[in-house]
Amino acid sequence: MASGLLLREARRRAGLTQAELGERAGKAASAIGRWERGEVDASLETLIELVRAAGFDLTVGVTVADDHDLALIRRCLARTPAQRLADLTTAVRAFDRMVAIRG
């Protein structure tokens, strides 16, 4: 729902109708309306694209989510929690070995 409010606010501040924003972003005005009403959640990538089409930049945390960041997020979310834990465990062991060598 927060993403819909953000989208509506960006569109209104830009002085655009849903149809105008849709045209700029290559999306249907009806889809813009559904996202704004919270009927459907836009993906982070789509939300960033729409906010940019309204003339603003969407920051995630303290950094701007660029294509590289989004790709990393998508790859991480595609993995199961067990896979992420295994990756983290491997990284920690590698770090421990590196510290031991320099020790």
Side-chain angles (χ1 to χ4, degrees), residues 1-88:
M1 186 66 170
S3 62
L5 296 174
L6 174 70
L7 178 56
R8 178 179 291 138
E9 184 66 20
R11 179 183 58 78
R12 286 183 175 170
R13 286 186 183 218
L16 299 170
T17 66
Q18 290 176 347
E20 291 168 333
L21 178 59
E23 190 174 312
R24 283 185 178 192
K27 309 287 183 197
S30 59
I32 304 286
R34 287 193 307 271
W35 289 321
E36 286 187 1
R37 290 188 299 275
E39 294 173 9
V40 179
D41 287 326
S43 68
L44 179 59
E45 185 175 60
T46 298
L47 185 61
I48 291 170
E49 180 183 340
L50 292 167
V51 169
R52 284 184 180 160
F56 300 99
D57 232 353
L58 180 62
T59 57
V60 177
V62 294
T63 60
V64 174
D66 60 14
D67 292 339
H68 175 73
D69 295 334
L70 292 173
L72 291 174
I73 291 168
R74 278 194 297 275
R75 272 198 309 257
C76 182
L77 292 176
R79 299 180 65 72
T80 67
Q83 290 170 322
R84 285 183 259 163
L85 181 59
D87 291 345
L88 180 60

